[in-house]
mmCIF file of all heavy atoms in Angstrom:
data_model
loop_
_atom_site.group_PDB
_atom_site.id
_atom_site.type_symbol
_atom_site.label_atom_id
_atom_site.label_comp_id
_atom_site.label_asym_id
_atom_site.label_seq_id
_atom_site.Cartn_x
_atom_site.Cartn_y
_atom_site.Cartn_z
ATOM 1 N N THR A 145 125.857 100.699 70.360
ATOM 2 C CA THR A 145 124.997 101.365 69.346
ATOM 3 C C THR A 145 124.031 102.243 70.116
ATOM 4 O O THR A 145 123.846 102.061 71.267
ATOM 5 C CB THR A 145 124.281 100.405 68.380
ATOM 6 O OG1 THR A 145 123.390 99.626 69.221
ATOM 7 C CG2 THR A 145 125.245 99.474 67.717
ATOM 8 N N ARG A 146 123.278 103.067 69.390
ATOM 9 C CA ARG A 146 122.305 103.910 70.046
ATOM 10 C C ARG A 146 121.171 103.073 70.565
ATOM 11 O O ARG A 146 120.648 103.409 71.689
ATOM 12 C CB ARG A 146 121.744 104.906 69.047
ATOM 13 C CG ARG A 146 122.713 106.012 68.680
ATOM 14 C CD ARG A 146 122.029 107.016 67.790
ATOM 15 N NE ARG A 146 122.906 108.074 67.537
ATOM 16 C CZ ARG A 146 122.843 108.906 66.542
ATOM 17 N NH1 ARG A 146 121.900 108.859 65.703
ATOM 18 N NH2 ARG A 146 123.682 109.863 66.414
ATOM 19 N N ALA A 147 120.801 102.013 69.962
ATOM 20 C CA ALA A 147 119.752 101.185 70.462
ATOM 21 C C ALA A 147 120.226 100.468 71.733
ATOM 22 O O ALA A 147 119.428 100.381 72.687
ATOM 23 C CB ALA A 147 119.356 100.089 69.426
ATOM 24 N N GLU A 148 121.419 100.021 71.825
ATOM 25 C CA GLU A 148 121.881 99.403 72.990
ATOM 26 C C GLU A 148 121.995 100.375 74.143
ATOM 27 O O GLU A 148 121.641 100.107 75.299
ATOM 28 C CB GLU A 148 123.250 98.721 72.809
ATOM 29 C CG GLU A 148 123.163 97.534 71.932
ATOM 30 C CD GLU A 148 124.592 97.015 71.497
ATOM 31 O OE1 GLU A 148 125.553 97.849 71.483
ATOM 32 O OE2 GLU A 148 124.698 95.863 71.234
ATOM 33 N N ALA A 149 122.472 101.611 73.834
ATOM 34 C CA ALA A 149 122.594 102.656 74.875
ATOM 35 C C ALA A 149 121.173 103.053 75.375
ATOM 36 O O ALA A 149 121.013 103.292 76.510
ATOM 37 C CB ALA A 149 123.263 103.907 74.297
ATOM 38 N N PHE A 150 120.208 103.078 74.514
ATOM 39 C CA PHE A 150 118.808 103.319 74.874
ATOM 40 C C PHE A 150 118.332 102.247 75.875
ATOM 41 O O PHE A 150 117.634 102.588 76.855
ATOM 42 C CB PHE A 150 117.931 103.440 73.640
ATOM 43 C CG PHE A 150 116.475 103.638 74.010
ATOM 44 C CD1 PHE A 150 116.028 104.969 74.435
ATOM 45 C CD2 PHE A 150 115.543 102.580 73.873
ATOM 46 C CE1 PHE A 150 114.718 105.049 74.801
ATOM 47 C CE2 PHE A 150 114.238 102.759 74.235
ATOM 48 C CZ PHE A 150 113.759 104.029 74.655
ATOM 49 N N VAL A 151 118.551 101.003 75.508
ATOM 50 C CA VAL A 151 118.092 99.899 76.372
ATOM 51 C C VAL A 151 118.804 99.970 77.735
ATOM 52 O O VAL A 151 118.137 99.807 78.770
ATOM 53 C CB VAL A 151 118.330 98.560 75.677
ATOM 54 C CG1 VAL A 151 118.127 97.453 76.679
ATOM 55 C CG2 VAL A 151 117.463 98.389 74.477
ATOM 56 N N VAL A 152 120.069 100.297 77.768
ATOM 57 C CA VAL A 152 120.747 100.349 79.022
ATOM 58 C C VAL A 152 120.222 101.530 79.800
ATOM 59 O O VAL A 152 120.015 101.371 81.021
ATOM 60 C CB VAL A 152 122.342 100.554 78.758
ATOM 61 C CG1 VAL A 152 123.051 100.904 80.068
ATOM 62 C CG2 VAL A 152 122.932 99.275 78.228
ATOM 63 N N GLY A 153 120.007 102.685 79.184
ATOM 64 C CA GLY A 153 119.469 103.878 79.860
ATOM 65 C C GLY A 153 118.033 103.614 80.348
ATOM 66 O O GLY A 153 117.722 103.946 81.522
ATOM 67 N N LEU A 154 117.280 102.950 79.614
ATOM 68 C CA LEU A 154 115.896 102.624 80.022
ATOM 69 C C LEU A 154 115.938 101.712 81.277
ATOM 70 O O LEU A 154 115.133 101.837 82.186
ATOM 71 C CB LEU A 154 115.099 102.032 78.875
ATOM 72 C CG LEU A 154 113.594 101.690 79.171
ATOM 73 C CD1 LEU A 154 112.822 102.963 79.491
ATOM 74 C CD2 LEU A 154 113.016 100.947 77.996
ATOM 75 N N THR A 155 116.748 100.705 81.185
ATOM 76 C CA THR A 155 116.900 99.756 82.306
ATOM 77 C C THR A 155 117.289 100.465 83.502
ATOM 78 O O THR A 155 116.758 100.241 84.638
ATOM 79 C CB THR A 155 117.922 98.698 81.945
ATOM 80 O OG1 THR A 155 117.540 98.064 80.718
ATOM 81 C CG2 THR A 155 118.044 97.623 82.966
ATOM 82 N N MET A 156 118.330 101.345 83.436
ATOM 83 C CA MET A 156 118.715 102.083 84.661
ATOM 84 C C MET A 156 117.592 102.961 85.165
ATOM 85 O O MET A 156 117.414 103.057 86.315
ATOM 86 C CB MET A 156 119.969 102.995 84.317
ATOM 87 C CG MET A 156 121.269 102.076 84.024
ATOM 88 S SD MET A 156 122.621 103.132 83.468
ATOM 89 C CE MET A 156 122.863 104.240 84.819
ATOM 90 N N LEU A 157 116.849 103.639 84.254
ATOM 91 C CA LEU A 157 115.802 104.441 84.642
ATOM 92 C C LEU A 157 114.716 103.675 85.470
ATOM 93 O O LEU A 157 114.217 104.088 86.471
ATOM 94 C CB LEU A 157 115.192 105.173 83.443
ATOM 95 C CG LEU A 157 114.058 106.104 83.688
ATOM 96 C CD1 LEU A 157 114.481 107.309 84.485
ATOM 97 C CD2 LEU A 157 113.379 106.494 82.402
ATOM 98 N N LEU A 158 114.407 102.482 84.901
ATOM 99 C CA LEU A 158 113.365 101.643 85.513
ATOM 100 C C LEU A 158 113.850 101.194 86.856
ATOM 101 O O LEU A 158 113.092 101.165 87.868
ATOM 102 C CB LEU A 158 113.109 100.461 84.627
ATOM 103 C CG LEU A 158 112.190 100.820 83.464
ATOM 104 C CD1 LEU A 158 112.055 99.580 82.545
ATOM 105 C CD2 LEU A 158 110.850 101.298 83.845
ATOM 106 N N CYS A 159 115.168 100.777 87.010
ATOM 107 C CA CYS A 159 115.631 100.389 88.249
ATOM 108 C C CYS A 159 115.651 101.503 89.307
ATOM 109 O O CYS A 159 115.208 101.304 90.457
ATOM 110 C CB CYS A 159 117.173 99.878 88.070
ATOM 111 S SG CYS A 159 117.164 98.255 87.258
ATOM 112 N N VAL A 160 116.150 102.658 88.977
ATOM 113 C CA VAL A 160 116.183 103.778 89.873
ATOM 114 C C VAL A 160 114.824 104.179 90.246
ATOM 115 O O VAL A 160 114.385 104.524 91.322
ATOM 116 C CB VAL A 160 116.997 104.883 89.362
ATOM 117 C CG1 VAL A 160 116.909 106.204 90.194
ATOM 118 C CG2 VAL A 160 118.504 104.520 89.249
ATOM 119 N N GLY A 161 113.860 104.240 89.158
ATOM 120 C CA GLY A 161 112.489 104.608 89.455
ATOM 121 C C GLY A 161 111.829 103.587 90.327
ATOM 122 O O GLY A 161 111.037 103.973 91.255
ATOM 123 N N GLY A 162 112.132 102.331 90.212
ATOM 124 C CA GLY A 162 111.565 101.365 91.081
ATOM 125 C C GLY A 162 112.021 101.475 92.564
ATOM 126 O O GLY A 162 111.168 101.237 93.479
ATOM 127 N N LEU A 163 113.229 101.949 92.682
ATOM 128 C CA LEU A 163 113.703 102.184 94.070
ATOM 129 C C LEU A 163 113.042 103.387 94.706
ATOM 130 O O LEU A 163 112.831 103.520 95.901
ATOM 131 C CB LEU A 163 115.274 102.445 94.023
ATOM 132 C CG LEU A 163 116.075 101.200 93.754
ATOM 133 C CD1 LEU A 163 117.557 101.595 93.595
ATOM 134 C CD2 LEU A 163 115.984 100.202 94.900
ATOM 135 N N MET A 164 112.641 104.307 93.796
ATOM 136 C CA MET A 164 111.999 105.594 94.360
ATOM 137 C C MET A 164 110.584 105.464 94.527
ATOM 138 O O MET A 164 109.854 106.314 95.119
ATOM 139 C CB MET A 164 112.414 106.763 93.390
ATOM 140 C CG MET A 164 113.808 107.134 93.294
ATOM 141 S SD MET A 164 114.607 107.492 94.883
ATOM 142 C CE MET A 164 113.822 109.044 95.222
ATOM 143 N N LEU A 165 109.920 104.419 93.948
ATOM 144 C CA LEU A 165 108.423 104.295 93.991
ATOM 145 C C LEU A 165 107.817 104.416 95.413
ATOM 146 O O LEU A 165 106.900 105.088 95.613
ATOM 147 C CB LEU A 165 108.009 103.020 93.362
ATOM 148 C CG LEU A 165 107.784 103.097 91.815
ATOM 149 C CD1 LEU A 165 107.359 101.785 91.293
ATOM 150 C CD2 LEU A 165 106.836 104.095 91.475
ATOM 151 N N PRO A 166 108.424 103.675 96.391
ATOM 152 C CA PRO A 166 107.834 103.782 97.766
ATOM 153 C C PRO A 166 107.814 105.171 98.268
ATOM 154 O O PRO A 166 106.880 105.666 98.825
ATOM 155 C CB PRO A 166 108.700 102.902 98.630
ATOM 156 C CG PRO A 166 109.320 101.930 97.683
ATOM 157 C CD PRO A 166 109.472 102.685 96.346
ATOM 158 N N HIS A 167 108.964 105.905 98.028
ATOM 159 C CA HIS A 167 108.928 107.329 98.512
ATOM 160 C C HIS A 167 107.967 108.129 97.749
ATOM 161 O O HIS A 167 107.256 108.947 98.374
ATOM 162 C CB HIS A 167 110.395 107.873 98.232
ATOM 163 C CG HIS A 167 110.456 109.265 98.592
ATOM 164 N ND1 HIS A 167 110.446 109.768 99.899
ATOM 165 C CD2 HIS A 167 110.583 110.435 97.880
ATOM 166 C CE1 HIS A 167 110.540 111.130 99.836
ATOM 167 N NE2 HIS A 167 110.617 111.512 98.549
ATOM 168 N N PHE A 168 107.901 108.070 96.462
ATOM 169 C CA PHE A 168 106.959 108.812 95.614
ATOM 170 C C PHE A 168 105.468 108.454 96.046
ATOM 171 O O PHE A 168 104.680 109.314 96.128
ATOM 172 C CB PHE A 168 107.104 108.623 94.204
ATOM 173 C CG PHE A 168 108.435 109.198 93.609
ATOM 174 C CD1 PHE A 168 109.088 108.613 92.593
ATOM 175 C CD2 PHE A 168 108.843 110.364 94.134
ATOM 176 C CE1 PHE A 168 110.224 109.129 92.102
ATOM 177 C CE2 PHE A 168 110.051 110.993 93.604
ATOM 178 C CZ PHE A 168 110.686 110.355 92.632
ATOM 179 N N GLY A 169 105.273 107.154 96.329
ATOM 180 C CA GLY A 169 103.989 106.682 96.737
ATOM 181 C C GLY A 169 103.542 107.367 98.015
ATOM 182 O O GLY A 169 102.397 107.724 98.191
ATOM 183 N N ASN A 170 104.438 107.418 98.955
ATOM 184 C CA ASN A 170 104.202 108.068 100.208
ATOM 185 C C ASN A 170 103.855 109.545 100.132
ATOM 186 O O ASN A 170 102.890 110.024 100.677
ATOM 187 C CB ASN A 170 105.374 107.872 101.225
ATOM 188 C CG ASN A 170 105.454 106.459 101.668
ATOM 189 O OD1 ASN A 170 104.534 105.682 101.631
ATOM 190 N ND2 ASN A 170 106.694 106.105 102.171
ATOM 191 N N VAL A 171 104.589 110.154 99.214
ATOM 192 C CA VAL A 171 104.419 111.666 99.050
ATOM 193 C C VAL A 171 103.062 111.881 98.395
ATOM 194 O O VAL A 171 102.259 112.706 98.827
ATOM 195 C CB VAL A 171 105.526 112.248 98.215
ATOM 196 C CG1 VAL A 171 105.212 113.642 97.726
ATOM 197 C CG2 VAL A 171 106.852 112.252 98.961
ATOM 198 N N ILE A 172 102.812 111.113 97.363
ATOM 199 C CA ILE A 172 101.541 111.247 96.570
ATOM 200 C C ILE A 172 100.335 110.891 97.549
ATOM 201 O O ILE A 172 99.299 111.602 97.545
ATOM 202 C CB ILE A 172 101.522 110.444 95.290
ATOM 203 C CG1 ILE A 172 102.555 111.004 94.314
ATOM 204 C CG2 ILE A 172 100.177 110.405 94.722
ATOM 205 C CD1 ILE A 172 102.811 110.099 93.134
ATOM 206 N N GLY A 173 100.506 109.815 98.251
ATOM 207 C CA GLY A 173 99.385 109.454 99.173
ATOM 208 C C GLY A 173 99.108 110.460 100.241
ATOM 209 O O GLY A 173 97.927 110.788 100.540
ATOM 210 N N ARG A 174 100.083 111.004 100.810
ATOM 211 C CA ARG A 174 99.868 112.092 101.819
ATOM 212 C C ARG A 174 99.263 113.356 101.112
ATOM 213 O O ARG A 174 98.388 113.948 101.763
ATOM 214 C CB ARG A 174 101.146 112.366 102.539
ATOM 215 C CG ARG A 174 101.450 111.485 103.606
ATOM 216 C CD ARG A 174 102.541 112.081 104.503
ATOM 217 N NE ARG A 174 103.769 112.402 103.819
ATOM 218 C CZ ARG A 174 104.885 111.645 103.798
ATOM 219 N NH1 ARG A 174 104.923 110.513 104.380
ATOM 220 N NH2 ARG A 174 105.899 111.942 103.053
ATOM 221 N N ALA A 175 99.703 113.613 99.914
ATOM 222 C CA ALA A 175 99.153 114.801 99.243
ATOM 223 C C ALA A 175 97.646 114.691 98.981
ATOM 224 O O ALA A 175 96.927 115.649 99.150
ATOM 225 C CB ALA A 175 99.935 115.062 97.942
ATOM 226 N N PHE A 176 97.182 113.479 98.614
ATOM 227 C CA PHE A 176 95.817 113.315 98.245
ATOM 228 C C PHE A 176 94.928 112.816 99.304
ATOM 229 O O PHE A 176 93.713 113.206 99.433
ATOM 230 C CB PHE A 176 95.711 112.394 97.012
ATOM 231 C CG PHE A 176 96.173 112.989 95.689
ATOM 232 C CD1 PHE A 176 97.379 112.652 95.208
ATOM 233 C CD2 PHE A 176 95.378 113.911 95.081
ATOM 234 C CE1 PHE A 176 97.857 113.208 94.068
ATOM 235 C CE2 PHE A 176 95.824 114.466 93.912
ATOM 236 C CZ PHE A 176 97.096 114.179 93.378
ATOM 237 N N LEU A 177 95.465 111.951 100.172
ATOM 238 C CA LEU A 177 94.638 111.287 101.154
ATOM 239 C C LEU A 177 94.850 111.876 102.552
ATOM 240 O O LEU A 177 94.047 111.586 103.433
ATOM 241 C CB LEU A 177 95.002 109.755 101.203
ATOM 242 C CG LEU A 177 94.729 109.046 99.925
ATOM 243 C CD1 LEU A 177 95.207 107.583 100.079
ATOM 244 C CD2 LEU A 177 93.298 109.027 99.486
ATOM 245 N N GLY A 178 95.851 112.607 102.718
ATOM 246 C CA GLY A 178 96.199 113.097 104.022
ATOM 247 C C GLY A 178 96.997 112.072 104.732
ATOM 248 O O GLY A 178 97.257 111.005 104.323
ATOM 249 N N GLU A 179 97.543 112.439 105.951
ATOM 250 C CA GLU A 179 98.299 111.535 106.755
ATOM 251 C C GLU A 179 97.515 110.419 107.327
ATOM 252 O O GLU A 179 96.443 110.586 107.749
ATOM 253 C CB GLU A 179 99.097 112.301 107.787
ATOM 254 C CG GLU A 179 100.193 111.547 108.396
ATOM 255 C CD GLU A 179 101.088 112.385 109.280
ATOM 256 O OE1 GLU A 179 100.643 113.430 109.722
ATOM 257 O OE2 GLU A 179 102.251 111.956 109.477
ATOM 258 N N ASP A 180 98.168 109.217 107.341
ATOM 259 C CA ASP A 180 97.482 108.076 107.907
ATOM 260 C C ASP A 180 97.283 108.331 109.401
ATOM 261 O O ASP A 180 98.172 108.798 110.138
ATOM 262 C CB ASP A 180 98.467 106.868 107.760
ATOM 263 C CG ASP A 180 97.797 105.575 108.202
ATOM 264 O OD1 ASP A 180 96.586 105.572 108.463
ATOM 265 O OD2 ASP A 180 98.524 104.533 108.228
ATOM 266 N N PRO A 181 96.072 108.071 109.929
ATOM 267 C CA PRO A 181 95.693 108.285 111.314
ATOM 268 C C PRO A 181 96.696 107.500 112.258
ATOM 269 O O PRO A 181 97.030 107.950 113.386
ATOM 270 C CB PRO A 181 94.291 107.829 111.482
ATOM 271 C CG PRO A 181 93.702 107.887 110.085
ATOM 272 C CD PRO A 181 94.859 107.652 109.189
ATOM 273 N N ALA A 182 97.054 106.278 111.838
ATOM 274 C CA ALA A 182 97.913 105.443 112.669
ATOM 275 C C ALA A 182 99.303 106.141 112.804
ATOM 276 O O ALA A 182 99.903 106.170 113.878
ATOM 277 C CB ALA A 182 98.090 104.100 112.116
ATOM 278 N N VAL A 183 99.793 106.651 111.730
ATOM 279 C CA VAL A 183 101.060 107.364 111.754
ATOM 280 C C VAL A 183 100.960 108.648 112.560
ATOM 281 O O VAL A 183 101.875 108.898 113.346
ATOM 282 C CB VAL A 183 101.515 107.691 110.287
ATOM 283 C CG1 VAL A 183 102.769 108.587 110.299
ATOM 284 C CG2 VAL A 183 101.782 106.486 109.490
ATOM 285 N N ARG A 184 99.860 109.319 112.381
ATOM 286 C CA ARG A 184 99.681 110.598 113.170
ATOM 287 C C ARG A 184 99.634 110.275 114.696
ATOM 288 O O ARG A 184 100.350 110.964 115.452
ATOM 289 C CB ARG A 184 98.382 111.290 112.814
ATOM 290 C CG ARG A 184 98.264 112.606 113.491
ATOM 291 C CD ARG A 184 96.918 113.315 113.146
ATOM 292 N NE ARG A 184 96.778 113.444 111.720
ATOM 293 C CZ ARG A 184 95.692 112.966 110.988
ATOM 294 N NH1 ARG A 184 94.712 112.402 111.664
ATOM 295 N NH2 ARG A 184 95.660 113.156 109.684
ATOM 296 N N SER A 185 98.878 109.205 115.143
ATOM 297 C CA SER A 185 98.865 108.856 116.509
ATOM 298 C C SER A 185 100.260 108.446 117.045
ATOM 299 O O SER A 185 100.631 108.720 118.133
ATOM 300 C CB SER A 185 97.844 107.819 116.825
ATOM 301 O OG SER A 185 98.190 106.611 116.161
ATOM 302 N N TRP A 186 100.994 107.705 116.128
ATOM 303 C CA TRP A 186 102.299 107.274 116.569
ATOM 304 C C TRP A 186 103.218 108.456 116.825
ATOM 305 O O TRP A 186 103.981 108.470 117.819
ATOM 306 C CB TRP A 186 102.889 106.301 115.537
ATOM 307 C CG TRP A 186 104.283 105.828 115.825
ATOM 308 C CD1 TRP A 186 104.662 104.858 116.672
ATOM 309 C CD2 TRP A 186 105.474 106.500 115.414
ATOM 310 N NE1 TRP A 186 105.951 104.771 116.708
ATOM 311 C CE2 TRP A 186 106.589 105.771 115.960
ATOM 312 C CE3 TRP A 186 105.751 107.612 114.582
ATOM 313 C CZ2 TRP A 186 107.858 106.091 115.716
ATOM 314 C CZ3 TRP A 186 107.128 107.886 114.387
ATOM 315 C CH2 TRP A 186 108.146 107.170 114.945
ATOM 316 N N ARG A 187 103.160 109.440 115.861
ATOM 317 C CA ARG A 187 104.016 110.634 115.921
ATOM 318 C C ARG A 187 103.659 111.416 117.268
ATOM 319 O O ARG A 187 104.524 111.952 117.918
ATOM 320 C CB ARG A 187 103.879 111.478 114.768
ATOM 321 C CG ARG A 187 104.702 110.954 113.598
ATOM 322 C CD ARG A 187 104.639 111.949 112.455
ATOM 323 N NE ARG A 187 105.426 111.412 111.316
ATOM 324 C CZ ARG A 187 105.324 111.837 110.149
ATOM 325 N NH1 ARG A 187 104.491 112.852 109.809
ATOM 326 N NH2 ARG A 187 106.009 111.294 109.175
ATOM 327 N N GLU A 188 102.358 111.522 117.501
ATOM 328 C CA GLU A 188 101.952 112.231 118.672
ATOM 329 C C GLU A 188 102.371 111.558 119.966
ATOM 330 O O GLU A 188 102.867 112.205 120.857
ATOM 331 C CB GLU A 188 100.407 112.482 118.693
ATOM 332 C CG GLU A 188 99.883 113.352 117.647
ATOM 333 C CD GLU A 188 98.359 113.377 117.431
ATOM 334 O OE1 GLU A 188 97.728 112.504 118.192
ATOM 335 O OE2 GLU A 188 97.853 114.153 116.716
ATOM 336 N N ALA A 189 102.295 110.266 120.007
ATOM 337 C CA ALA A 189 102.718 109.477 121.215
ATOM 338 C C ALA A 189 104.230 109.626 121.352
ATOM 339 O O ALA A 189 104.724 109.762 122.464
ATOM 340 C CB ALA A 189 102.353 108.037 121.069
ATOM 341 N N TRP A 190 104.933 109.567 120.278
ATOM 342 C CA TRP A 190 106.428 109.671 120.263
ATOM 343 C C TRP A 190 106.792 111.072 120.853
ATOM 344 O O TRP A 190 107.684 111.203 121.608
ATOM 345 C CB TRP A 190 106.964 109.385 118.944
ATOM 346 C CG TRP A 190 108.468 109.513 118.814
ATOM 347 C CD1 TRP A 190 109.352 108.635 119.313
ATOM 348 C CD2 TRP A 190 109.258 110.532 118.261
ATOM 349 N NE1 TRP A 190 110.622 108.992 119.078
ATOM 350 C CE2 TRP A 190 110.598 110.149 118.420
ATOM 351 C CE3 TRP A 190 108.934 111.706 117.553
ATOM 352 C CZ2 TRP A 190 111.648 110.915 117.947
ATOM 353 C CZ3 TRP A 190 109.975 112.460 117.136
ATOM 354 C CH2 TRP A 190 111.325 112.092 117.291
#
């Protein structure tokens, strides 16, 4: 039914969204806070 399809779609969206949260969090964090100094120093050393 439409209600079941909605629940299945919502569940899939939440699962995929949950998988993407770390990536989105990193992008948003860098956009607002700038790059982490530890990461910057690691990249420079590398």
Side-chain angles (χ1 to χ4, degrees):
T145 63
R146 285 185 177 160
E148 291 171 334
F150 175 75
V151 169
V152 169
L154 182 64
T155 304
M156 289 174 60
L157 180 68
L158 288 174
C159 289
V160 172
L163 290 172
M164 296 301 291
L165 274 179
H167 175 71
F168 290 145
N170 288 338
V171 170
I172 292 169
R174 277 195 303 261
F176 287 104
L177 302 174
E179 192 169 21
D180 185 12
V183 173
R184 185 180 308 124
S185 65
W186 178 84
R187 283 187 180 161
E188 289 171 356
W190 183 70

